[in-house]
Amino acid sequence: MESRAINFGAGPSALPTSVLQEATKGLLNFNGTGMGIAEISHRSKEFTAYLQSVEQNIRKLLDIQPTHSILFTQGGGSTQFSAVVLNMLARHRLLHPQLTDEDRVLDYVVTGSWSKKAAEEARRMGGSTVNIAADSRKYSKDQKSFDNIPTADAYSFSNDPALIYYCANETVDGVEFSAEENSPASFPFQLLPRNALLPLVGDYSSSFMSRPIPHLSDHAIIYAGAQKNVGPAGLTILIVRNDCIVDVDAAARLGAIPVPICLSYKTLADHNSLYNTPPVLSIYITGLVLEYMLQLGGLDYYAGLTNRKSKKVYDVLKYGENKGIFKGKVKEGSGSQMNIVFDVIGEGLLAKFIAGAEERGMKGLKGHRSVGGVRVSIYNAVTEEETDLLISYMEQFAGQHKVNKE
């Protein structure tokens, strides 16, 4: 096999080589059917059994209780910006039919580009009042940048919102809520109303399956695009508390916004995610990745791996900052473990850094077009050895270049 590049891209991202090799077999002959996975009917007994096994392995890895359903759909996180609003407004309408649209409040915690887009989509759709419960830009130096996770005193949640939305890891901006309960950068679960049916919604696309999800059982909805840690693009995984799977048509008769049938969680749940053809190939490869993860030790293994890899990258970033070559974009303590962002200081040095990395077989390091710089995405399939190669290159680059500070 030809040498493969080291993929530090933000998504679609690296997949384990052994999984890709196994997937090629399934492309020709899926589970002994004599048909490839891209050819077989999604309603065949072989595929429906495989889909059930994928769900079971997600439950096992994340310890998901029967209170929550696992749904498989398409459209990525951006489609869920709309679907979450529609389904949760329908739920709220059924619970509180007497309220006006203005009295239905959606709380959004805005900490980066994705949560900002989610809040904008909620406003665009109407049918509610959008309350920004916290906006991290207010706490940046220029009051414009997403470079921090606000501390607990920055949040202002509504009394009875239809939903409370946050994005666990902002891929573009490189900020992430800490999984450590006592960290100033952790999500302020302690400030939320203490009842069994919190309308809490978490976008976990960029950190899904890299570590356990804090307070998972308290969430109404968790969603994640597969293309970061668990599979190829095309699959979106939903974890939905059962009370949030509601009759959206009954809600529409009471005045709620009608929900397109394929965006209705009830449609997905009632048909075991097979109302229409799901992303069969993406589900197949995701299933192979989940089996691979379980073989290696599950989320305990991956949480440790993630901690080690991210610590190494932040340590070499600090080394480069001391040399005057690198400059982190995120305040200390708020940085993502998955997507580490920084600038390369000095005229022409960013392009030189990227070019040198590509010469060494390291790809996908260019930062998002909206923020520039470098973005190092160290998703699950990026090995510690591959990360070490990047560390060595960053150390070498910082040692060879000096910035004229005069």
Side-chain angles (χ1 to χ4, degrees):
M1 184 177 66
E2 293 184 6
S3 177
R4 284 170 50 80
I6 302 173
N7 182 3
F8 290 105
S13 52
L15 290 168
T17 300
S18 62
V19 165
L20 293 174
Q21 291 169 334
E22 183 66 23
T24 62
K25 300 175 185 177
L27 281 170
L28 293 172
N29 186 355
F30 170 64
N31 285 9
T33 61
M35 290 186 290
I37 184 62
E39 305 167 300
I40 198 166
S41 169
H42 60 290
R43 301 192 193 283
S44 65
K45 67 179 186 297
E46 293 86 0
F47 182 75
T48 54
Y50 188 83
L51 185 64
Q52 290 171 4
S53 73
V54 174
E55 175 183 341
Q56 289 166 4
N57 284 338
I58 292 173
R59 286 193 182 278
K60 188 182 301 183
L61 283 161
L62 288 170
D63 190 26
I64 300 171
Q65 300 304 305
T67 52
H68 288 67
S69 295
I70 297 173
L71 309 175
F72 302 97
T73 186
Q74 305 175 57
S78 295
T79 297
Q80 292 308 306
F81 293 166
S82 312
V84 159
V85 170
L86 292 170
N87 283 273
M88 294 303 281
L89 280 178
R91 174 182 181 269
H92 202 255
R93 178 76 61 166
L94 292 170
L95 291 172
H96 307 287
Q98 76 285 359
L99 293 180
T100 64
D101 287 351
E102 291 74 18
D103 291 331
R104 299 184 195 281
V105 180
L106 310 180
D107 279 358
Y108 278 79
V109 175
V110 177
T111 52
S113 301
W114 291 117
S115 51
K116 176 175 175 285
K117 287 183 177 182
E120 289 170 348
E121 175 66 358
R123 285 197 189 94
R124 190 186 71 83
M125 297 186 71
S128 65
T129 297
V130 173
N131 170 54
I132 303 301
D135 188 331
S136 68
R137 289 171 293 188
K138 294 179 180 179
Y139 308 98
S140 65
K141 286 185 178 180
D142 60 8
Q143 296 196 330
K144 297 179 182 178
S145 302
F146 291 118
D147 66 358
N148 69 93
I149 294 294
T151 54
D153 58 354
Y155 295 81
S156 178
F157 294 110
S158 304
N159 290 329
D160 184 23
L163 66 83
I164 303 165
Y165 168 96
Y166 73 102
C167 181
N169 181 82
E170 296 278 4
T171 318
V172 172
D173 310 280
V175 296
E176 182 177 20
F177 284 98
S178 172
E180 302 297 328
E181 290 280 350
N182 297 324
S183 169
S186 62
F187 188 83
F189 294 101
Q190 72 276 12
L191 300 181
L192 301 177
R194 300 318 302 165
N195 62 67
L197 300 177
L198 277 173
L200 184 61
V201 177
D203 178 348
Y204 271 81
S205 291
S206 293
S207 55
F208 190 65
M209 290 292 180
S210 67
R211 65 190 188 194
I213 295 176
H215 296 265
L216 187 151
S217 61
D218 288 337
H219 287 74
I221 301 166
I222 290 168
Y223 65 84
Q227 71 274 13
K228 309 294 187 178
N229 278 318
V230 295
L235 171 64
T236 308
I237 299 168
L238 309 176
I239 303 169
V240 184
R241 198 174 61 225
N242 295 330
D243 67 281
C244 298
I245 300 173
V246 301
D247 187 339
V248 296
D249 293 334
R253 289 192 290 272
L254 294 174
I257 302 171
V259 181
I261 195 163
C262 286
L263 296 187
S264 164
Y265 296 154
K266 191 173 191 301
T267 299
L268 292 171
D270 287 350
H271 295 86
N272 298 315
S273 300
L274 295 171
Y275 176 79
N276 64 337
T277 307
V280 172
L281 181 59
S282 296
I283 290 171
Y284 172 59
I285 297 177
T286 295
L288 295 179
V289 172
L290 297 174
E291 290 173 4
Y292 178 80
M293 292 178 65
L294 285 165
Q295 290 169 10
L296 290 181
L299 293 193
D300 287 342
Y301 169 81
Y302 279 99
L305 177 64
T306 298
N307 288 337
R308 293 194 305 274
K309 290 190 299 185
S310 62
K311 183 180 186 305
K312 289 180 179 182
V313 179
Y314 278 112
D315 284 349
V316 76
L317 175 56
K318 179 67 70 175
Y319 169 78
E321 287 180 327
N322 291 335
K323 292 283 187 179
I325 294 297
F326 302 143
K327 181 175 173 50
K329 290 177 174 287
V330 176
K331 291 181 180 179
E332 189 170 352
S334 295
S336 168
Q337 288 192 310
M338 291 280 101
N339 312 101
I340 299 163
V341 295
F342 59 93
D343 288 318
V344 182
I345 308 301
E347 185 175 353
L349 288 186
L350 172 60
K352 190 172 183 178
F353 179 85
I354 297 295
E358 294 199 353
E359 288 173 2
R360 291 161 174 79
M362 304 176 198
K363 298 191 175 183
L365 286 166
K366 193 172 183 180
H368 191 273
R369 62 187 180 277
S370 65
V371 296
V374 176
R375 173 170 54 179
V376 180
S377 296
I378 45 175
Y379 295 119
N380 284 358
V382 177
T383 67
E384 193 165 3
E385 292 75 19
E386 289 171 333
T387 305
D388 288 341
L389 292 174
L390 175 65
I391 301 302
S392 296
Y393 172 59
M394 290 176 66
E395 287 178 342
Q396 179 186 10
F397 190 91
Q400 289 178 343
H401 298 87
K402 293 182 179 180
V403 174
N404 186 355
K405 297 182 179 181
E406 294 181 359

Coordinates of all heavy atoms in Angstrom, one line a residue, residues 318-377:
K318 N 3.3 26.3 23.4 CA 3.9 27.2 24.4 C 5.4 27.5 24.1 O 5.9 28.6 24.2 CB 3.7 26.6 25.8 CG 4.3 27.5 26.9 CD 3.6 28.8 27.1 CE 2.2 28.6 27.6 NZ 1.5 29.9 27.9
Y319 N 6.1 26.4 23.8 CA 7.5 26.5 23.4 C 7.7 27.5 22.2 O 8.6 28.4 22.3 CB 8.1 25.1 23.0 CG 9.4 25.1 22.4 CD1 10.6 25.3 23.2 CD2 9.6 25.0 21.0 CE1 11.8 25.3 22.6 CE2 10.8 25.0 20.4 CZ 11.9 25.1 21.2 OH 13.2 25.1 20.6
G320 N 6.9 27.4 21.2 CA 6.9 28.3 20.1 C 6.5 29.7 20.4 O 7.1 30.6 19.8
E321 N 5.6 29.8 21.4 CA 5.3 31.2 21.8 C 6.5 31.8 22.5 O 6.7 33.0 22.3 CB 4.1 31.1 22.7 CG 2.8 30.8 22.0 CD 1.6 30.8 23.0 OE1 1.7 30.3 24.1 OE2 0.5 31.2 22.5
N322 N 7.2 31.1 23.3 CA 8.3 31.6 24.0 C 9.4 32.0 23.0 O 10.2 32.9 23.3 CB 8.9 30.6 25.0 CG 7.9 30.4 26.2 OD1 7.1 31.3 26.5 ND2 8.0 29.2 26.8
K323 N 9.5 31.3 21.9 CA 10.4 31.7 20.8 C 9.9 32.8 19.9 O 10.7 33.3 19.1 CB 10.6 30.4 19.9 CG 11.4 29.3 20.6 CD 12.9 29.6 20.7 CE 13.6 28.4 21.2 NZ 15.1 28.6 21.3
G324 N 8.7 33.2 20.1 CA 8.1 34.3 19.4 C 7.7 33.9 18.0 O 7.4 34.8 17.1
I325 N 7.5 32.6 17.7 CA 7.1 32.1 16.4 C 5.6 31.8 16.3 O 5.0 32.1 15.3 CB 8.0 30.9 16.0 CG1 9.4 31.3 15.9 CG2 7.4 30.3 14.7 CD1 9.7 32.3 14.7
F326 N 5.1 31.2 17.4 CA 3.7 30.8 17.4 C 2.9 31.7 18.4 O 3.5 32.3 19.3 CB 3.5 29.4 17.9 CG 4.2 28.4 17.0 CD1 4.8 27.2 17.5 CD2 4.3 28.5 15.6 CE1 5.4 26.3 16.8 CE2 4.9 27.6 14.8 CZ 5.5 26.5 15.4
K327 N 1.6 31.9 18.1 CA 0.8 32.6 19.0 C -0.6 32.0 19.1 O -1.3 31.9 18.1 CB 0.6 34.1 18.6 CG -0.3 34.9 19.5 CD -0.3 36.4 19.1 CE -1.3 37.2 20.0 NZ -1.1 37.0 21.4
G328 N -0.9 31.4 20.2 CA -2.2 30.8 20.4 C -3.4 31.7 20.2 O -3.3 32.9 20.6
K329 N -4.5 31.3 19.7 CA -5.7 32.1 19.5 C -6.7 32.1 20.6 O -7.6 32.9 20.6 CB -6.4 31.7 18.2 CG -5.6 32.0 16.9 CD -6.4 31.4 15.7 CE -5.7 31.8 14.4 NZ -5.9 33.2 14.1
V330 N -6.5 31.1 21.6 CA -7.5 30.9 22.6 C -6.9 31.1 24.0 O -5.7 30.8 24.2 CB -8.0 29.5 22.5 CG1 -9.0 29.2 23.6 CG2 -8.7 29.3 21.1
K331 N -7.7 31.7 24.9 CA -7.2 31.9 26.2 C -6.9 30.6 26.9 O -7.6 29.6 26.7 CB -8.2 32.7 27.1 CG -8.4 34.1 26.6 CD -9.4 34.9 27.5 CE -9.6 36.3 27.1 NZ -10.6 37.0 27.9
E332 N -5.9 30.6 27.7 CA -5.5 29.4 28.4 C -6.6 28.9 29.3 O -7.3 29.6 30.0 CB -4.2 29.6 29.3 CG -3.6 28.4 29.9 CD -2.3 28.7 30.6 OE1 -1.7 29.8 30.4 OE2 -1.8 27.7 31.2
G333 N -6.8 27.6 29.2 CA -7.9 26.9 30.0 C -9.2 26.7 29.2 O -10.1 26.0 29.6
S334 N -9.3 27.4 28.0 CA -10.5 27.3 27.2 C -10.2 26.6 25.9 O -11.1 26.4 25.1 CB -11.1 28.7 26.8 OG -11.5 29.4 28.0
G335 N -9.0 26.1 25.7 CA -8.6 25.5 24.4 C -9.3 24.2 24.2 O -9.4 23.4 25.1
S336 N -9.5 23.9 22.9 CA -10.1 22.6 22.5 C -9.0 21.5 22.6 O -7.9 21.7 22.3 CB -10.6 22.7 21.1 OG -10.9 21.4 20.6
Q337 N -9.4 20.3 23.0 CA -8.6 19.1 22.9 C -8.5 18.5 21.5 O -7.7 17.8 21.2 CB -9.0 18.1 23.9 CG -8.7 18.5 25.4 CD -8.8 17.3 26.3 OE1 -9.9 16.6 26.3 NE2 -7.8 17.0 27.1
M338 N -9.5 18.9 20.7 CA -9.6 18.3 19.4 C -9.1 19.2 18.3 O -8.5 18.7 17.3 CB -11.1 18.0 19.0 CG -11.8 16.9 19.9 SD -11.4 15.3 19.3 CE -10.1 14.8 20.4
N339 N -9.3 20.5 18.4 CA -8.9 21.5 17.4 C -8.1 22.6 18.0 O -8.6 23.5 18.7 CB -10.2 22.0 16.7 CG -11.2 21.0 16.3 OD1 -12.1 20.8 17.0 ND2 -10.9 20.3 15.2
I340 N -6.8 22.5 17.8 CA -5.9 23.5 18.4 C -5.5 24.5 17.4 O -5.0 24.2 16.3 CB -4.7 22.8 19.0 CG1 -5.2 21.8 20.1 CG2 -3.7 23.7 19.6 CD1 -4.1 20.7 20.4
V341 N -5.7 25.8 17.7 CA -5.5 26.9 16.7 C -4.5 27.9 17.1 O -4.4 28.2 18.3 CB -6.9 27.6 16.4 CG1 -7.9 26.6 15.8 CG2 -7.5 28.2 17.7
F342 N -3.7 28.3 16.2 CA -2.6 29.3 16.5 C -2.2 30.0 15.2 O -2.4 29.5 14.1 CB -1.4 28.6 17.2 CG -0.8 27.5 16.4 CD1 0.3 27.8 15.6 CD2 -1.2 26.2 16.5 CE1 1.0 26.8 14.9 CE2 -0.5 25.2 15.8 CZ 0.6 25.5 15.0
D343 N -1.5 31.1 15.4 CA -0.9 31.9 14.3 C 0.6 31.6 14.3 O 1.2 31.2 15.3 CB -1.2 33.4 14.5 CG -2.6 33.8 14.3 OD1 -3.2 33.2 13.3 OD2 -3.1 34.6 15.0
V344 N 1.2 31.8 13.1 CA 2.6 31.7 12.9 C 3.0 33.1 12.6 O 2.6 33.8 11.7 CB 3.0 30.8 11.7 CG1 4.5 30.7 11.6 CG2 2.4 29.4 12.0
I345 N 3.9 33.6 13.5 CA 4.3 35.1 13.5 C 5.5 35.3 12.5 O 6.5 34.5 12.5 CB 4.7 35.5 14.9 CG1 3.6 35.2 15.9 CG2 5.0 37.0 14.9 CD1 2.3 35.8 15.6
G346 N 5.4 36.3 11.7 CA 6.5 36.6 10.8 C 6.0 36.6 9.4 O 5.3 35.7 9.0
E347 N 6.5 37.5 8.6 CA 6.0 37.6 7.2 C 6.4 36.3 6.4 O 7.5 35.9 6.4 CB 6.6 38.8 6.5 CG 6.1 39.1 5.1 CD 6.7 40.3 4.5 OE1 7.3 41.1 5.2 OE2 6.4 40.6 3.3
G348 N 5.4 35.7 5.8 CA 5.6 34.6 5.0 C 5.8 33.3 5.7 O 5.8 32.2 5.1
L349 N 5.8 33.3 7.1 CA 6.1 32.1 7.8 C 5.0 31.1 7.9 O 5.2 29.9 8.0 CB 6.7 32.4 9.2 CG 8.1 33.0 9.2 CD1 8.5 33.2 10.7 CD2 9.1 32.2 8.5
L350 N 3.7 31.6 7.9 CA 2.6 30.7 7.9 C 2.6 29.8 6.7 O 2.5 28.6 6.8 CB 1.3 31.5 8.0 CG 0.0 30.7 7.8 CD1 -0.1 29.6 8.9 CD2 -1.2 31.6 7.8
A351 N 2.8 30.5 5.5 CA 2.8 29.7 4.3 C 4.0 28.7 4.3 O 3.8 27.5 3.8 CB 2.9 30.6 3.1
K352 N 5.1 29.1 4.8 CA 6.3 28.3 4.9 C 6.0 27.1 5.9 O 6.4 26.0 5.6 CB 7.5 29.1 5.4 CG 8.8 28.3 5.3 CD 10.0 29.3 5.6 CE 11.3 28.6 5.4 NZ 12.5 29.5 5.6
F353 N 5.3 27.3 7.0 CA 5.0 26.3 7.9 C 4.1 25.2 7.3 O 4.3 24.0 7.4 CB 4.3 26.9 9.2 CG 3.9 25.8 10.2 CD1 4.8 25.4 11.1 CD2 2.6 25.3 10.2 CE1 4.5 24.4 12.1 CE2 2.3 24.4 11.1 CZ 3.2 23.9 12.1
I354 N 3.0 25.7 6.6 CA 2.1 24.8 5.9 C 2.8 24.0 4.9 O 2.6 22.8 4.8 CB 0.9 25.6 5.4 CG1 0.1 26.3 6.5 CG2 0.0 24.6 4.6 CD1 -0.6 25.4 7.4
A355 N 3.6 24.6 4.1 CA 4.3 24.0 3.0 C 5.3 22.9 3.5 O 5.4 21.8 3.0 CB 5.1 25.0 2.1
G356 N 6.0 23.3 4.6 CA 6.9 22.3 5.2 C 6.2 21.1 5.8 O 6.7 20.0 5.7
A357 N 5.1 21.3 6.4 CA 4.3 20.2 6.9 C 3.8 19.3 5.8 O 3.9 18.0 5.9 CB 3.1 20.8 7.7
E358 N 3.4 19.9 4.7 CA 2.9 19.0 3.6 C 4.1 18.2 2.9 O 3.9 17.1 2.5 CB 2.2 19.9 2.5 CG 0.9 20.5 3.0 CD 0.0 20.9 2.0 OE1 0.4 20.9 0.8 OE2 -1.2 21.3 2.3
E359 N 5.2 18.8 2.9 CA 6.4 18.1 2.4 C 6.7 16.9 3.3 O 7.3 15.9 2.8 CB 7.6 19.0 2.4 CG 7.6 20.1 1.3 CD 8.7 21.1 1.5 OE1 9.6 20.9 2.4 OE2 8.8 22.0 0.7
R360 N 6.3 16.9 4.5 CA 6.5 15.8 5.5 C 5.3 14.9 5.6 O 5.2 14.1 6.5 CB 6.9 16.4 6.8 CG 8.3 17.1 6.9 CD 8.4 18.0 8.1 NE 9.8 18.5 8.2 CZ 10.2 19.5 7.5 NH1 9.4 20.1 6.6 NH2 11.5 20.0 7.6
G361 N 4.3 15.1 4.7 CA 3.2 14.2 4.6 C 2.1 14.6 5.6 O 1.2 13.8 5.9
M362 N 2.1 15.8 6.1 CA 1.1 16.2 7.1 C 0.2 17.2 6.4 O 0.6 18.3 6.0 CB 1.7 16.9 8.3 CG 2.8 16.1 9.0 SD 3.6 17.0 10.4 CE 5.0 16.0 10.6
K363 N -1.1 16.9 6.3 CA -2.1 17.7 5.6 C -3.2 18.1 6.5 O -3.5 17.6 7.5 CB -2.6 16.9 4.4 CG -1.5 16.5 3.4 CD -2.0 15.9 2.1 CE -0.9 15.7 1.1 NZ -1.4 15.2 -0.2
G364 N -3.9 19.1 5.9 CA -5.1 19.6 6.6 C -4.9 20.6 7.7 O -5.7 20.8 8.6
L365 N -3.7 21.2 7.8 CA -3.3 22.1 8.9 C -3.7 23.5 8.7 O -3.6 24.3 9.7 CB -1.8 22.0 9.2 CG -1.3 20.7 9.8 CD1 0.2 20.5 9.7 CD2 -1.7 20.6 11.3
K366 N -4.1 23.9 7.6 CA -4.5 25.3 7.4 C -5.8 25.6 8.1 O -6.7 24.9 8.1 CB -4.7 25.6 5.9 CG -4.8 27.0 5.5 CD -4.8 27.2 4.0 CE -4.8 28.7 3.6 NZ -4.8 28.9 2.2
G367 N -5.7 26.8 8.8 CA -6.9 27.2 9.6 C -8.1 27.5 8.8 O -8.0 27.7 7.6
H368 N -9.3 27.5 9.4 CA -10.5 27.8 8.8 C -10.4 29.2 8.1 O -9.8 30.1 8.6 CB -11.7 27.8 9.8 CG -13.0 27.9 9.1 ND1 -13.6 29.1 8.8 CD2 -13.9 26.9 8.7 CE1 -14.8 28.8 8.2 NE2 -15.0 27.5 8.2
R369 N -11.0 29.3 6.9 CA -10.9 30.6 6.1 C -11.4 31.8 6.9 O -10.9 32.9 6.6 CB -11.7 30.4 4.8 CG -13.2 30.2 5.0 CD -13.9 29.9 3.7 NE -15.3 29.7 3.9 CZ -15.9 28.6 4.3 NH1 -15.1 27.6 4.5 NH2 -17.2 28.5 4.5
S370 N -12.2 31.6 7.9 CA -12.8 32.8 8.6 C -11.8 33.3 9.7 O -11.9 34.4 10.2 CB -14.1 32.5 9.2 OG -14.0 31.5 10.2
V371 N -10.9 32.5 10.1 CA -9.9 32.9 11.2 C -8.5 32.8 10.8 O -7.6 33.4 11.5 CB -10.2 32.1 12.5 CG1 -11.6 32.3 13.0 CG2 -10.0 30.6 12.3
G372 N -8.2 32.0 9.8 CA -6.8 31.9 9.3 C -5.9 31.1 10.3 O -6.3 30.4 11.1
G373 N -4.6 31.3 10.1 CA -3.6 30.6 10.9 C -3.6 29.1 10.7 O -3.8 28.6 9.6
V374 N -3.2 28.4 11.8 CA -3.1 26.9 11.7 C -4.2 26.3 12.6 O -4.5 26.8 13.7 CB -1.7 26.5 12.2 CG1 -1.6 25.0 12.3 CG2 -0.6 27.1 11.3
R375 N -4.7 25.2 12.2 CA -5.6 24.4 13.0 C -5.2 22.9 13.0 O -5.1 22.3 11.9 CB -7.0 24.5 12.5 CG -8.0 23.6 13.2 CD -9.5 23.9 12.9 NE -9.7 23.9 11.4 CZ -10.9 24.1 10.9 NH1 -12.0 24.4 11.7 NH2 -11.1 24.0 9.6
V376 N -4.8 22.4 14.2 CA -4.4 21.0 14.3 C -5.6 20.2 14.9 O -5.9 20.4 16.0 CB -3.2 20.9 15.3 CG1 -2.8 19.5 15.4 CG2 -2.0 21.8 14.8
S377 N -6.1 19.4 14.1 CA -7.3 18.6 14.5 C -6.7 17.2 14.8 O -6.2 16.5 13.9 CB -8.3 18.5 13.5 OG -8.9 19.8 13.3

